[in-house]
Amino acid sequence: MTDDRRREVHKELEKELERRRGHFAAARQRRAFIAANYRPLHPNVYTLRDEFVDPRWIELAELARTHRSKDALLEAAAGVVRQRPRGVFAFPALTPRFCELMREELDHFERSDMPRAHPNTMNKNGLLLYELGMYDELLTPLLERYVSPVAAALFDGGEREMANGSDSLDHHRSFTVRYEPEGAGKDVDLAYHFDDAEMTLNVNLGGHFEGGELLFGGLKSDGDEKHSARYPHFHREGIAILHRGSHCHEALPVDSGKRTNLIMWCRSSQVRIRYCAMCGRDKITTSKIE
Ligand SMILES: O=C(O)CCC(=O)C(=O)O
Ligand SMILES: [Fe+2]
């Protein structure tokens, strides 16, 4: 690399760093403002309780701690976890009670005049749950107690050598997405993409809607961004899917009603320290992730 090129790259990185610092500072400010001024409708939904988690997920996490390989876990949890297509696992995760409280809380917040930002670069509707104050007592414990052990076991084996971070998830970016039919001026669908996450947990929060299925294609590493075969996942209240962030997917338009999902982009510091977040290259051996 020439000196000129190196200077150019440094400039680009500095700009990106600045952008991210500004972004985090604004999010912290909104978080503080909301903590001081917003009065929740259901304060108890901000703390994880056993009654919020489907007993089958509690048992699955327990089994995952003792059956650390995918095949052993799938056998022990037969009838609870479904895999379709390969690498996309569905299981009952959150109770109807939790889903209802959460939908009502989100509606209540949306009706308020509190500040908010877009959940990611693609979704306009939906909320950043860090800003609502849902990380410390609700979502981080959910990651630690239930998502992490299950991810470590289900993405073990063949996938492990790909350093996918499934056994070292230690932080997350969590938000909701909301879709409504054409004409409401809201998000209707979501284009084919991969997530900025090692593992993604996506749980439907129920309510009435038609359409809005997720379609899964190939892995980012297949280099086949327009993978032709797509496998559908039909959302059902409280059912989670867990997949690699690099597993490309899209959401079909919602035809009626309102679809609300809770998304946790689960991340691993080990992976992020080692691989460049911008180009995905291994900083040590210079080969690419996956
Ligand atoms: O629409 C969904 O359920 C998925 C949203 C999604 O893929 C994302 O936010 O990354
Ligand atoms: Fe996604």
Side-chain angles (χ1 to χ4, degrees):
M1 194 189 277
T2 64
D3 281 356
D4 274 357
R5 179 67 192 131
R6 184 169 290 117
R7 270 192 291 274
E8 239 174 66
V9 169
H10 275 172
K11 242 196 201 142
E12 254 176 63
L13 289 174
E14 248 164 46
K15 219 170 119 191
E16 176 60 17
L17 204 59
E18 267 315 293
R19 190 190 69 81
R20 289 187 189 195
R21 281 197 189 117
H23 191 80
F24 290 132
R28 274 196 299 273
Q29 269 176 18
R30 283 191 296 271
R31 160 98 180 84
F33 185 87
I34 290 165
N37 296 289
Y38 174 64
R39 188 173 312 179
L41 177 67
H42 297 303
N44 60 347
V45 82
Y46 288 69
T47 302
L48 185 61
R49 294 158 193 260
D50 280 354
E51 69 188 272
F52 291 164
V53 184
D54 191 298
R56 289 166 291 184
W57 193 14
I58 297 179
E59 200 187 330
L60 183 64
E62 206 47 58
L63 286 170
R65 288 192 188 91
T66 46
H67 297 70
R68 303 271 308 175
S69 90
K70 178 172 84 179
D71 291 341
L73 179 59
L74 287 178
E75 204 181 313
V80 172
V81 184
R82 204 187 72 154
Q83 180 177 200
R84 190 170 176 276
R86 195 176 134 77
V88 180
F89 298 94
F91 52 87
L94 298 169
T95 59
R97 178 74 186 136
F98 174 82
C99 293
E100 186 187 17
L101 289 174
M102 193 68 174
R103 283 198 314 273
E104 288 179 4
E105 185 61 39
L106 296 170
D107 284 343
H108 182 67
F109 185 88
E110 273 185 2
R111 281 193 301 270
S112 77
D113 55 3
M114 291 293 123
R116 66 204 66 179
H118 297 164
N120 58 47
T121 53
M122 299 178 77
N123 290 85
K124 288 195 304 291
N125 304 117
L127 297 166
L128 284 165
L129 299 177
Y130 164 74
E131 298 181 9
L132 267 72
M134 287 187 172
Y135 273 27
D136 292 352
E137 307 293 330
L138 179 69
L139 295 168
T140 303
L142 197 73
L143 173 73
E144 289 168 358
R145 285 185 223 163
Y146 303 110
V147 184
S148 285
V150 172
L154 288 180
F155 290 87
D156 187 16
E159 276 98 8
R160 173 68 68 87
E161 66 265 17
M162 296 181 221
N164 60 32
S166 62
D167 59 353
S168 54
L169 301 174
D170 57 5
H171 61 295
H172 59 100
R173 177 180 172 83
S174 298
F175 52 91
T176 55
V177 290
R178 274 198 155 167
Y179 305 89
E180 290 179 47
E182 197 79 63
K186 300 286 170 87
D187 289 332
V188 175
D189 56 14
L190 191 61
Y192 198 53
H193 69 283
F194 53 84
D195 299 337
D196 183 6
E198 276 65 76
M199 294 284 144
T200 298
L201 182 90
N202 178 341
V203 191
N204 179 250
L205 294 177
H208 298 290
F209 64 93
E210 286 174 318
E213 297 83 6
L214 274 190
L215 295 183
F216 283 89
L219 294 183
K220 183 175 78 173
S221 55
D222 297 344
D224 181 9
E225 305 269 302
K226 294 188 190 67
H227 205 273
S228 48
R230 304 272 167 98
Y231 297 89
H233 168 76
F234 298 90
H235 295 287
R236 272 179 37 219
E237 184 179 70
I239 304 290
I241 47 170
L242 184 65
H243 60 85
R244 281 190 211 77
S246 62
H247 200 145
C248 300
H249 51 282
E250 67 183 316
L252 292 181
V254 162
D255 300 317
S256 69
K258 180 154 77 170
R259 172 163 84 78
T260 309
N261 282 49
L262 164 65
I263 315 281
M264 292 182 79
W265 282 357
C266 305
R267 295 168 170 176
S268 155
S269 305
Q270 278 182 30
V271 168
R272 279 160 196 256
I273 286 165
R274 175 145 188 182
Y275 299 97
C276 173
M278 291 175 81
C279 69
R281 258 177 216 289
D282 186 329
K283 295 175 195 164
I284 299 165
T285 67
T286 75
S287 64
K288 274 217 164 187
I289 192 172
E290 294 152 346

